[in-house]
Amino acid sequence: MNLQEMIRPTVRNMPPSGIRKYFDLLNEMKDAISLGVGEPDFVTPWAIREAGIYSLERGHTHYSSNPGFIELRRQISRYVARKYNVEYDPKTEIIVTVGASEAIDIALRALAGPGDEVIIPEPSFVAYKGCTAFTGATPVIIELKEEDEFRLRPEQLEKALTERTKVVILPFPNNPTGAVMRADDQRKIVDVLKDRDVIIISDEIYAELTYSGKHVSFASYPEIRDKTILINGFSKAFAMTGWRIGYACGHPVLIEAMNKIHQYAIMCSPTTAQYAASEALSSCEDEVQAMVREYNRRRRVMVRGFREAGLSCFEPMGAFYVFPSIKSTGMTSDEFCEKLLMEEKVLTVPGTAFGACGEGYIRATYANSYENITEALRRIRRFVSRHRK
Amino acid sequence: MIIKTYKGVFIVSSKMEEILEILEKNARAGVEEIALMLDMSVEEVEAAIKKLEEDKVIVGYNTLINWDNSSKETVTALIELRVTPQRGQGFDKIAERIYRYPQVKACYLMSGSFDLTVIIEGKNMKEVALFVAEKLAPLEGVISTSTHFVLKKYKDDGVIFEENGKDDREALRL
Ligand SMILES: Cc1ncc(COP(=O)(O)O)c(C=O)c1O
């Protein structure tokens, strides 16, 4: 038996990630500075870790109900109402998941299948296209542009919508570009979508990490509230990536459908993480704000650093990434990142890892210490001036 | 939004607080660095720091040293003092007579069962004990002293001394 033949074609034919070679290069290298990480450098605040430890000491080591402890769902409901101005019933409209990742997966599996189209703005987080492909649905890519500051334009959305569109993914604040939506564009996008039979998956996991005023959730527009699945989680704002906990909110019919998949595939999100998340929501606002202030300071250093190195870099207002253009060097994204790593031991991610339209850009994370950031920027400046055309 | 001024330069109080947040963690942060981090001009940062110094908000730029890791021998003791307040001066006068000694690293007026906490550093236990016996205990107004030697410092001024601080994240993650 040929084992390869046994793998479903959609899985077998999924190309291996273009970044694998960087892992191999890294393994042979000491003291490289990585700006390639997609998670906070902060360790989870102690109060949260302590709550997790305490739950273990008390022996809370069993399953929770499938959608998560009701008390945690009540807290999430209050948190989302307070922060993003949209109300969800904790009993029927919230599901606690294994990270936002699981929420993205089960939302897509509940909604999309062969023959359906899923609109995905790119550059964006790689899971949208991957998970869509596994459902058998067709990803329809919208290419976001630097001249639009990588925001989604209503005209672009209008053009991409067809009879077969089932799902529209709205990935803002965005990984990898750091783009956030502006209220005027958001309003127009709501107008485009409100009378269509499509479901919106709004991945707002970076909502707390915005630097230009308060985040406005797509779910807070009443006209589309019932057709929107709002996804958020604890990984980024609370520095809890390894705990694997997130959540989705939406109309009871949508959440019930997601819960059907979740109950068989996952059972429930880790209990320890649920207790920890509960503590996060009840006592960590100040620490989150302190982390946000720190990210914001590094963000300014990073943008300035790339510009001083001679690369054009639009000012990102969300997440913890910058997405400078490397077109002026004449190199492709991949060449740039590989050479930068080999010659200067600084790791960044080629924009193409987030979609073909990421060509000409690289992603650099400022979730790193100030010392590492300044040293990396020094090396990048040296590198760019050596290779300038 | 409260605005503070220094010689005609206007600074928002939230920026002042962020300057303090940066300097509290790193007294060596330079004005250019801070200006870049906070999207301010160098002149504004200089003015802000001047103002904070003049208002005695910033009272010093110390280096936090873990003497245990140096070759110099030091011991630290925490002394609880009960004292009689003086008419018209409360505790301030007696506190001053104590905190003026260079051996005294910190001195606090306390609520509760004693009055002053005095932190003393010395070369060894004997030196500290002698200081307490010869200088503090005999002071007029001091009723009693109780000396506690520090055996190990885990954390000082918000800094954990034995933090490994290693970055154990995967170097690459989309
Ligand atoms: C846009 C976006 N959504 C979701 C996730 C996954 O987050 P979680 O850790 O909650 O699964 C990430 C992680 O990088 C992300 O960048």
Side-chain angles (χ1 to χ4, degrees):
Chain A
M1 178 173 62
N2 181 343
L3 288 179
Q4 277 297 348
E5 293 286 312
M6 301 303 286
I7 310 293
R8 277 176 65 206
T10 33
V11 178
R12 189 184 341 128
N13 300 334
M14 170 97 34
S17 170
I19 60 167
R20 198 178 280 172
K21 72 165 179 228
Y22 292 94
F23 282 105
D24 301 338
L25 293 172
L26 264 177
N27 280 341
E28 290 162 19
M29 207 176 269
K30 281 204 306 263
D31 63 19
I33 299 177
S34 177
L35 305 180
V37 190
E39 61 176 319
D41 56 316
F42 298 105
V43 177
T44 309
W46 176 250
I48 300 175
R49 284 188 273 163
E50 212 279 330
I53 295 167
Y54 183 56
S55 82
L56 290 174
E57 280 177 351
R58 280 180 304 166
H60 289 313
T61 59
H62 302 99
Y63 297 127
S64 71
S65 67
N66 293 133
F69 288 119
I70 184 66
E71 190 41 52
L72 175 59
R73 283 182 281 149
R74 287 204 184 99
Q75 283 180 289
I76 291 170
S77 170
R78 287 195 293 272
Y79 177 85
V80 171
R82 175 166 63 85
K83 290 267 179 188
Y84 311 122
N85 205 24
V86 47
E87 309 257 345
Y88 292 103
D89 179 352
K91 288 209 192 68
T92 58
E93 298 189 309
I94 296 175
I95 181 171
V96 179
T97 54
V98 179
S101 299
E102 191 221 339
I104 293 164
D105 180 40
I106 60 176
L108 283 165
R109 281 203 273 163
L111 297 164
D116 295 329
E117 292 178 353
V118 175
I119 294 182
I120 304 173
E122 281 188 345
S124 60
F125 184 47
V126 288
Y128 311 132
K129 195 156 66 185
C131 290
T132 298
F134 292 141
T135 68
T138 308
V140 174
I141 305 302
I142 295 179
E143 301 194 343
L144 303 176
K145 298 266 185 285
E146 184 180 8
E147 57 262 33
D148 298 326
E149 301 193 319
F150 295 105
R151 287 191 298 264
L152 175 62
R153 310 278 315 147
E155 312 83 74
Q156 290 179 296
L157 180 59
E158 192 101 58
K159 252 190 15 220
L161 284 159
T162 73
E163 291 288 283
R164 292 159 61 174
T165 307
K166 191 70 172 289
V167 176
V168 175
I169 293 180
L170 296 175
F172 300 98
N174 183 273
N175 169 15
T177 63
V180 299
M181 289 300 290
R182 265 191 349 216
D184 51 345
D185 282 343
Q186 225 172 359
R187 175 73 256 166
K188 288 186 204 144
I189 281 166
V190 170
D191 288 337
V192 171
L193 292 172
K194 64 175 194 253
D195 298 321
R196 298 259 187 171
D197 290 343
V198 297
I199 301 297
I200 298 149
I201 297 179
S202 190
D203 179 358
E204 303 182 16
I205 186 134
Y206 291 102
E208 281 311 281
L209 309 187
T210 55
Y211 313 103
S212 57
K214 221 165 136 11
H215 171 79
V216 178
S217 173
F218 273 105
S220 68
Y221 291 83
E223 306 94 308
I224 59 165
R225 189 262 187 204
D226 282 353
K227 58 165 80 168
T228 299
I229 296 173
L230 171 63
I231 292 178
N232 204 328
F234 296 86
S235 287
K236 314 292 171 167
F238 297 95
M240 290 180 70
T241 44
W243 297 80
R244 308 311 303 129
I245 185 161
Y247 54 89
C249 308
H251 189 278
V253 170
L254 302 176
I255 295 301
E256 169 64 24
M258 287 167 68
N259 192 38
K260 277 188 190 165
I261 303 173
H262 174 82
Q263 70 181 342
Y264 294 130
I266 300 287
M267 298 280 273
C268 67
S269 169
T271 309
T272 314
Q274 292 191 50
Y275 281 105
S278 171
E279 179 65 25
L281 293 182
S282 59
S283 78
C284 294
E285 185 69 22
D286 287 350
E287 273 175 277
V288 171
Q289 290 319 316
M291 289 192 271
V292 172
R293 285 197 299 277
E294 177 68 21
Y295 287 135
N296 195 10
R297 299 195 281 259
R298 298 171 184 178
R299 180 184 68 92
R300 295 184 184 117
V301 171
M302 197 81 149
V303 170
R304 175 81 74 90
F306 275 104
R307 286 179 183 168
E308 283 178 358
L311 300 178
S312 90
C313 181
F314 104 99
E315 187 169 5
M317 287 300 182
F320 35 58
Y321 310 106
V322 294
F323 203 63
S325 164
I326 49 94
K327 290 172 188 166
S328 62
T329 63
M331 287 183 244
T332 66
S333 302
D334 204 28
E335 281 164 3
F336 185 97
C337 292
E338 186 172 342
K339 280 211 173 80
L340 180 62
L341 180 61
M342 298 312 288
E343 293 177 21
E344 296 286 355
K345 296 188 179 177
V346 174
L347 179 63
T348 54
V349 184
T352 43
F354 306 93
C357 61
E359 183 55 86
Y361 300 89
I362 61 167
R363 187 192 78 175
T365 311
Y366 48 88
N368 208 326
S369 70
Y370 186 72
E371 292 71 32
N372 280 345
I373 288 172
T374 32
E375 175 57 26
L377 288 170
R378 208 184 343 266
R379 297 185 194 179
I380 289 167
R381 200 175 312 137
R382 193 162 62 199
F383 177 82
V384 173
S385 69
R386 190 162 63 237
H387 290 280
R388 207 190 318 272
K389 279 262 148 19
Chain B
M1 196 195 288
I2 306 155
I3 307 275
K4 307 219 169 182
T5 64
Y6 181 83
K7 296 195 175 146
V9 183
F10 292 85
I11 297 131
V12 188
S13 64
S14 65
K15 292 278 189 197
M16 290 285 212
E17 279 157 30
E18 270 204 78
I19 290 174
L20 291 173
E21 195 171 78
I22 293 167
L23 287 174
E24 189 182 26
K25 285 213 196 89
N26 177 15
R28 297 203 302 175
V31 285
E32 271 121 40
E33 216 171 310
I34 297 173
L36 176 53
M37 289 169 143
L38 299 183
D39 200 15
M40 298 169 76
S41 71
V42 169
E43 295 70 41
E44 284 169 335
V45 175
E46 277 170 348
I49 291 175
K50 277 261 159 46
K51 170 108 179 107
L52 289 163
E53 286 169 351
E54 276 183 9
D55 292 352
K56 296 266 186 285
V57 178
I58 293 177
V59 289
Y61 297 89
N62 292 346
T63 303
L64 184 61
I65 296 172
N66 184 357
W67 287 107
D68 288 351
N69 289 348
S70 77
S71 54
K72 187 177 158 193
E73 288 281 314
T74 45
V75 294
T76 306
L78 183 153
I79 327 285
E80 296 172 4
L81 285 185
R82 288 180 50 231
V83 299
T84 335
Q86 280 163 305
R87 194 189 184 97
Q89 319 224 295
F91 292 97
D92 294 352
K93 201 72 208 164
I94 179 91
E96 181 177 0
R97 296 188 67 181
I98 292 168
Y99 66 62
R100 291 273 173 212
Y101 282 105
Q103 291 91 329
V104 174
K105 292 295 155 193
C107 179
Y108 312 120
L109 179 62
M110 310 298 291
S111 66
S113 61
F114 60 96
D115 304 305
L116 294 175
T117 292
V118 177
I119 311 265
I120 312 253
E121 264 176 27
K123 279 202 232 6
N124 48 45
M125 285 201 189
K126 189 165 162 217
E127 188 182 281
V128 173
L130 273 179
F131 178 80
V132 174
E134 290 177 357
K135 299 288 194 276
L136 296 190
L139 277 178
E140 199 184 355
V142 171
I143 302 164
S144 71
T145 70
S146 170
T147 302
H148 309 272
F149 283 101
V150 172
L151 301 181
K152 180 171 181 178
K153 288 185 187 171
Y154 296 102
K155 182 177 184 179
D156 221 346
D157 264 346
V159 177
I160 295 172
F161 281 165
E162 289 187 4
E163 197 84 309
N164 76 11
K166 238 183 94 237
D167 190 344
D168 60 0
R169 295 177 295 168
E170 290 277 310
L172 189 51
R173 170 96 352 158
L174 304 178

